[in-house]
Amino acid sequence: MEPERILLAHGSGGKLSYDLIRELFLPPLHNPILATLADAAIFSRQGMRLAITTDSYVVDPIFFPGGDIGKLAIYGTINDLAMGGAKPLYLSIGFILEEGFPLEELRVVVNSIKEAAQQCGVDIIAGDTKVVPRGKGDKVFINTTGLGAVSEGVELSVDRICVGDKIIINGFIGEHGIAVMTQREGLEFDTPIKSDAAPLWGLVSQMLEASQGLHLLRDPTRGGVATVLNEVASGGDFGIRLEEKALPVGEGVAVACEILGLDPLYVANEGKLIAFCQPDEVEHILAAMKRHRYGREAMVIGEVVATPPGKVIMKTRVGGTRLLDMLTGEQLPRIC
Amino acid sequence: MKYIDEFRDNSLARALALRIARLAEGSPEVTLMEVCGTHTVTVFKHGLKDLIPDNVTLLAGPGCPVCVTPTDYIDKAIAYASLEGVTVATFGDLFRVPGSSSSLEKERARGGDVRIVYSPLDALRLAQENGDRKVIFLGVGFETTAPLVAVSVQEARRRGIRNYLVFSAHKVMPPPMEALVSDGELRIDGFLCPGHVSTIIGWGAYRFLSQQYHIPCVVAGFEPLDVLEGIWMLLRQIRHGEPRVENQYRRAVREEGNPRALALMREVFEPSDSEWRGMGTIPGSGLTIRDRYRDCDAEANVEVEVEPASSHPGCVCGSVLKGVKTPLDCSLFRRVCTPEKPLGACMVSSEGTCSIYYKYSDRA
């Protein structure tokens, strides 16, 4: 029997990542907070509800249309806090630098980090630097950890999802993954596709203020919309039904996916959120979202249904239905 | 998106579904085979079975090149990869196909030099850049792929590249279609003929099926409306009792196909008997490198010995490829055979029936 090894697909955010977390990491490290496997861990200390999250960034190339690794390292962690309903307070940052990496490029990245943090209203209060020999890393890898505070009454959890809940997305899908991919592979399209990288706490706070009917928020990063919806449905006593014709896919992403044989439902986003909402609050929440710059194109893409439980089913444009499975294998390595 | 949206239009699809339903109404059970794996993908990805009446059955056929390539070919490719001084170049879809005891993927992890290429010309470049190694390209595919490989062989000769070799398992489509209708194990009332293959061989190539075997044939494109219209055309032929070859894919396919590609293919390859997974040896269904290009033929120049091939005892890929079983009849499907750990070829290729059922069907 061949010894099992880490494959690139373990980092895809799809099925193998999920299995690795469930089977290798979770059992020895188990505790009730970790076991929720939420984007941010939420816990109470001395009457305060706090949220903590951590994420590492290895995107290649480090500069791409619409962003760079620095912006991504701030927004990504801010967004994981926001998905827990937490207002971002502080960040820590760690750099792993490759010997030979030009200081000029590092300055650009750090400046980008400064701007992104200012935009989000957070301070970076701790940091670390390591250097590895040439070839043992690739330019720069960044880790950020975020600390946030959750207001009284905010409760976002899979347990709150009910049959009939509507599923909202805040705009067009697949832009980040395609922007990075086309930059990396040197593909050119008439209209360049820009990453959607954006910080989402502002939008989320507006949604939380507008309604108590928000049940769950998730950001469809690696593995895309399909994988996140499968994670939510998996093991639940409900299913999810999507409408293909309602899915917002921009012309550029649609064309690129058609040529490259990719499915936009599995392509990463860095400025999108998926919201599960009480049906009678949908209009209210949509209206609040549309008032925010990152929510102008918000729309309903599907709903929570009773059958089949644990699965995501899509009504296709031509009028059939099909299963929408988790990402299997690796679609695009190192996109965040 | 222009040229795509039009072929996925909801109201046109419903209108076609209605026409199909009218033709099928009151008629006995009809079994249509979509020969090509890409058609099967279209059927499942767009949920077309929901638009077709219950008395019309769509069967997936043997049109997935990776799936029909027998295990002993894979074993031999793995053996090539384990040789000193040999680089094996392959399209990505063959990389994970299980052989008797290993796969090209595992062979690479063990240190074998296996490269994934997107074109045989990339493999030729590898040969040019690595003059001290033999580069063996795994020639797997139907009439759509064979002309490209023929070009690479001619280019190797023209440029004097002597370390480029092809291990050919190329196959042609009409003979297995004839084998399926003449063997009688399966009743097929009509063929949805492969669109891409037909761009090369032309729709005229299926005429013998309608004339000698009275089987309706329609060459169809790969968008949902193409497939629905193809099904409707087949049912219309069945209803009128007039089997012939019709061409739904007029925007790409001509009666005579692509004469230039055919000439290239015939210059380098000659027809031979060939083994198909699940279907045995079919006369005239393979393409072997002609004697005059023998110096490019891997089998004639590099010797390897392999044990007799074996596949997983429970795997029913062979029967799935013939259309006599579906993945749902397989005890391994979804339980132990998954895209992460495939036990048979049909779970590996994105055009393989098992992989398509796994990905798009919510049954079992």
Side-chain angles (χ1 to χ4, degrees), chain B residues 278-300:
Chain B
M279 301 176 74
T281 299
I282 301 174
S285 69
L287 292 172
T288 304
I289 294 178
R290 286 187 190 274
D291 256 355
R292 65 174 94 99
Y293 290 99
R294 200 180 154 77
D295 50 340
C296 271
D297 186 347
E299 285 184 283

Side-chain angles (χ1 to χ4, degrees), chain B residues 146-166:
Chain B
L148 282 175
V149 178
V151 168
S152 73
V153 167
Q154 287 191 324
E155 274 296 295
R157 167 142 317 170
R158 196 180 65 79
R159 294 193 225 157
I161 301 171
R162 303 188 57 86
N163 59 329
Y164 176 69
L165 300 160
V166 171

Side-chain angles (χ1 to χ4, degrees), chain A residues 2 4 15-16 244 251 254-255 258 263 308 311 313 316-325 328-329, chain B residues 1 4-5 8 10 13 44-48 50-51 106 110 224 334 339-341 358-362:
Chain A
E2 281 283 309
E4 289 184 292
K15 185 148 189 324
L16 278 185
E244 188 177 26
E251 179 85 7
V255 169
E258 200 64 46
D263 185 337
K311 288 182 174 168
I313 300 292
T316 66
R317 263 203 307 183
V318 292
T321 52
R322 65 135 153 138
L323 179 73
L324 194 66
D325 200 10
T328 54
Chain B
M1 195 188 335
I4 293 287
D5 290 343
R8 297 178 187 174
N10 178 275
F44 277 80
K45 190 170 175 185
H46 298 277
L48 299 188
D50 294 345
L51 304 179
K106 288 180 184 158
R110 227 179 262 154
R334 226 186 256 283
E340 284 82 33
K341 288 185 180 154
Y358 186 96
K359 204 165 161 198
Y360 298 119
S361 169
D362 61 336

Side-chain angles (χ1 to χ4, degrees), chain B residues 225-241:
Chain B
L225 289 190
D226 290 325
V227 171
L228 286 173
E229 190 178 26
I231 291 168
W232 172 68
M233 290 162 84
L234 282 172
L235 292 175
R236 194 176 54 176
Q237 285 192 40
I238 294 167
R239 164 66 66 96
H240 296 307

